[in-house]
């Protein structure tokens, strides 16, 4: 059993409509070098049974309430925030943005748990259970891709033609899979995902009938006392159990002109996004195209920092930077319109963000990738993956990158 997961609490709040378990999976990364600020806490656990104390991000922007909030920003907010016509249908129902005020909140840091809020008596429950008996294993019937490989390759040729004629210079194009679920058990899925695919921005998130199992390595945006930090990922390579071959994969990623160009493009986009609400001259790229190793992949990560304008609500910076450049491309608006045209469904929570806001309006949000999104009403599971397409992209290689990214999730059960 993975003793990082407070399965006793998860079992106790199973029927509640809102749960947010943000897990850094610290125990898996103690011996790895990771970007700055990745592992400040072990995990944060929040839950609520009340549907009355909830808000959208827009409502929080005008609210003067100094409280904790946990929730999501779905990619679909893109449409009305950026005046983009939405024609594709969603495969499940979720609010574009949603935040709940926790009735229970606990934070684990250095393996010490502090209960911040408890109005539902959860503090009297043992957070960890030594053993939970499962009669059956969850099953996901064959994940079915929403388009054929042939169509994917044809769409990439359309993208490259658009790049050649100057419409845009990078786009994150995604594939989407769907599967039926049998013998559903959220704790069992979470334990297995954490054990097989640990990630520093992992999460289990419940919003009514939608449950998200996220193994994300990527931070979208953090505000800590006026310091903004974004850490986009662009550039992925497989890993190998053979240490020599694994090192070759890592060096190959580090030396890839194409991958570095993709990363630098997104860094420039992030710099532009942060500049909107930052003090002029404060934006710094504190690391560029560094390679970090995770259990299943090597990733190229950069870090961009700035000092937020003290005269604005910090949440304005969060809204203006969304959606993240690493999941869209550049220039952003035309790319988002092209995504809507090429992808035959809305992304929903995928390539959106999960996170929290403190009473001081500090916040930290991830990028929802490497995720399994389950609709427990329909008993359907959704999994998506994408890659950055530039003029130098090889269509077959991009397709294989998407398959690589879905492997850890789709092979769980």
């Amino acid at each position: 059993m993975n003793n990082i997961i407070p399965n006793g609490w998860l079992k106790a709040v199973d029927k509640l409509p809102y749960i947010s378990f943000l897990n850094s999976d610290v125990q898996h990364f103690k011996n790895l070098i990771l970007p700055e600020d990745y592992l400040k806490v072990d995990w944060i656990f929040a839950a609520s049974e009340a549907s009355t104390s909830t808000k959208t991000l827009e409502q929080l922007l005008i609210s003067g309430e100094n409280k904790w909030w946990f929730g999501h920003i779905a990619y679909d907010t893109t449409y009305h925030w950026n005046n983009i016509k939405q024609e594709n249908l969603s495969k499940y129902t979720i609010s574009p943005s949603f935040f709940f005020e926790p009735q229970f909140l606990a934070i684990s840091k250095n393996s010490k748990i502090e209960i911040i809020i408890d109005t539902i008596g959860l503090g009297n429950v043992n957070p960890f259970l030594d053993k939970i008996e499962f009669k059956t294993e969850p099953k996901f019937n064959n994940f079915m891709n929403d388009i054929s490989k042939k169509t994917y390759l044809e769409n990439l040729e359309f993208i490259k033609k658009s790049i050649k004629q100057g419409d845009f210079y990078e786009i994150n194009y995604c594939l989407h899979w769907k599967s039926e679920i049998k013998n559903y058990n959220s704790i069992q899925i979470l334990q297995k995902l954490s054990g097989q695919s640990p990630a520093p921005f992992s999460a289990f998130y419940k919003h009514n009938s939608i449950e998200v199992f996220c193994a994300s390595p990527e931070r979208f945006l953090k505000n800590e006392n006026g310091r903004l930090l974004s850490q986009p990922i662009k550039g992925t390579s497989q890993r190998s159990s053979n240490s020599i071959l694994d090192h070759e994969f890592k060096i190959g990623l580090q030396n890839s002109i194409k991958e570095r160009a993709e990363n630098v493009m997104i860094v420039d986009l992030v710099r532009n996004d942060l500049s909107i609400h930052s003090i002029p001259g404060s934006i710094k790229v504190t690391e560029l195209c560094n390679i970090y190793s995770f259990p299943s992949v090597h990733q190229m990560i950069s870090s961009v920092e700035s000092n937020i304008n003290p005269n604005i609500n910090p949440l304005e910076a969060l809204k203006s930077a969304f959606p993240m450049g690493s999941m869209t491309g550049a220039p952003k608006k035309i790319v988002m319109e092209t995504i809507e045209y090429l992808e035959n469904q809305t992304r929903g929570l995928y390539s959106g963000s999960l996170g929290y806001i403190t009473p001081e309006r500090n916040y930290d949000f991830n990028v929802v990738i490497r995720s399994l999104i389950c609709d427990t009403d329909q008993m359907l599971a959704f999994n998506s993956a994408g890659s950055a397409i530039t003029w130098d992209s090889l269509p077959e290689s991009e397709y294989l990158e998407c398959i690589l990214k879905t492997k850890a999730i789709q092979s769980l059960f």
Side-chain angles (χ1 to χ4, degrees):
M1 188 196 80
N2 186 338
N3 60 13
I4 269 187
I5 296 174
N7 49 9
W9 283 345
L10 285 168
K11 187 175 181 181
V13 301
D14 178 61
K15 302 301 181 184
L16 298 189
Y18 312 124
I19 302 170
S20 182
F21 172 52
L22 307 175
N23 183 12
S24 295
D25 254 333
V26 169
Q27 72 173 15
H28 287 103
F29 300 108
K30 286 181 178 178
N31 298 319
L32 292 179
I33 299 173
L34 290 177
E36 182 188 0
D37 284 348
Y38 255 43
L39 304 177
K40 288 251 177 144
V41 299
D42 307 329
W43 47 258
I44 303 175
F45 186 95
S48 176
E49 60 185 356
S51 60
T52 53
S53 190
T54 63
K55 292 187 183 297
T56 64
L57 184 61
E58 291 93 332
Q59 289 171 330
L60 287 176
L61 277 165
I62 60 176
S63 168
E65 298 173 283
N66 297 321
K67 299 178 179 179
W68 284 90
W69 298 96
F70 289 78
H72 72 262
I73 311 170
Y75 178 84
D76 297 353
T77 59
T78 291
Y79 299 105
H80 64 270
W81 284 358
N82 295 280
N83 194 28
I84 294 172
K85 186 177 180 181
Q86 182 177 2
E87 296 181 347
N88 290 331
L89 297 176
S90 176
K91 299 298 182 181
Y92 54 88
T93 302
I94 189 97
S95 305
S97 76
F98 178 89
F99 290 87
F100 69 88
E101 181 186 354
Q103 293 177 299
F104 179 82
L105 171 60
I107 299 176
S108 175
K109 188 173 183 179
N110 298 321
S111 299
K112 295 181 179 179
I113 299 173
E114 180 183 3
I115 296 176
I116 310 296
I117 300 169
D118 185 12
T119 62
I120 55 177
L122 196 57
N124 298 320
V125 175
N126 177 11
F128 304 105
L129 298 179
D130 292 334
K131 190 174 183 180
I132 300 179
E133 295 291 341
F134 300 111
K135 295 180 180 179
T136 57
E137 272 204 346
K139 296 292 182 185
F140 301 100
N141 291 343
N142 293 334
F143 279 89
M144 300 297 294
N145 200 335
D146 64 334
I147 65 169
S148 66
K149 181 179 178 180
K150 179 176 180 292
T151 301
Y152 175 86
L153 297 177
E154 290 172 350
N155 286 346
L156 255 65
E157 290 305 320
F158 171 84
I159 289 171
K160 295 190 74 170
K161 182 179 179 181
S162 299
I163 292 172
K164 185 177 181 179
Q165 63 192 26
D167 295 338
F168 49 83
Y169 50 90
E170 180 174 353
I171 185 172
N172 185 277
Y173 175 48
C174 296
L175 291 172
H176 307 281
W177 286 261
K178 180 175 70 174
S179 169
E180 293 181 350
I181 308 169
K182 291 185 178 180
N183 308 326
Y184 184 81
N185 186 295
S186 57
I187 295 177
Q188 207 170 357
I189 296 171
L190 179 60
Q191 287 186 171
K192 199 158 188 178
L193 179 61
S194 182
Q196 292 188 6
S197 190
F201 291 99
S202 295
F204 169 69
Y205 177 71
K206 181 179 180 181
H207 178 273
N208 295 316
S209 65
I210 305 301
E211 299 190 356
V212 184
F213 304 86
C214 181
S216 175
E218 184 172 1
R219 168 180 277 131
F220 164 42
L221 189 62
K222 176 180 183 179
N223 172 46
E224 185 174 21
N225 302 322
R227 169 184 170 258
L228 293 174
L229 171 65
S230 183
Q231 295 177 297
I233 292 178
K234 269 287 157 271
T236 302
S237 173
Q238 63 181 305
R239 299 209 61 183
S240 173
S241 57
N242 181 305
S243 60
I244 295 175
L245 186 57
D246 188 62
H247 182 69
E248 289 178 358
F249 286 142
K250 183 175 182 178
I251 296 301
L253 178 60
Q254 178 69 72
N255 295 333
S256 171
I257 296 174
K258 169 188 171 295
E259 302 288 359
R260 292 180 70 87
E262 290 176 5
N263 195 293
V264 170
M265 288 180 195
I266 298 306
V267 166
D268 283 343
L269 181 58
V270 171
R271 291 171 66 240
N272 181 70
D273 287 344
L274 297 190
S275 70
I276 297 170
H277 292 299
S278 293
I279 296 172
S282 69
I283 298 175
K284 298 178 181 178
V285 179
T286 52
E287 64 173 347
L288 184 65
C289 298
N290 285 350
I291 307 300
Y292 294 95
S293 300
F294 296 89
S296 59
V297 291
H298 298 295
Q299 301 277 199
M300 184 179 287
I301 304 177
S302 295
S303 295
V304 185
E305 298 182 27
S306 69
N307 296 326
I308 198 167
N309 184 333
N311 298 319
I312 64 109
N313 185 329
L315 297 180
E316 292 284 0
L318 180 66
K319 181 181 177 183
S320 65
F322 189 87
M324 59 290 301
S326 62
M327 296 306 297
T328 51
K332 212 183 238 187
K333 190 169 188 295
I334 182 64
V335 159
M336 291 188 289
E337 291 171 343
T338 306
I339 288 170
E340 170 68 10
Y341 172 70
L342 290 177
E343 296 181 22
N344 61 1
Q345 60 180 280
T346 62
R347 291 184 177 182
L349 275 174
Y350 174 72
S351 67
S353 192
L354 300 172
Y356 65 89
I357 302 167
T358 74
E360 299 77 25
R361 301 237 160 166
N362 289 330
Y363 49 78
D364 203 1
F365 283 82
N366 76 354
V367 178
V368 180
I369 52 177
R370 321 289 161 83
S371 300
L372 187 67
I373 299 172
C374 297
D375 184 333
T376 59
D377 280 346
Q378 300 185 78
M379 292 307 289
L380 293 174
F382 303 91
N383 177 229
S384 302
S387 65
I389 312 300
T390 63
W391 174 247
D392 293 329
S393 293
L394 300 175
E396 184 73 25
S397 297
E398 299 297 341
Y399 184 81
L400 293 176
E401 181 177 329
C402 292
I403 300 301
L404 172 66
K405 289 174 177 176
T406 63
K407 186 177 179 181
I409 300 290
Q410 294 188 13
S411 63
L412 276 178
F413 294 96

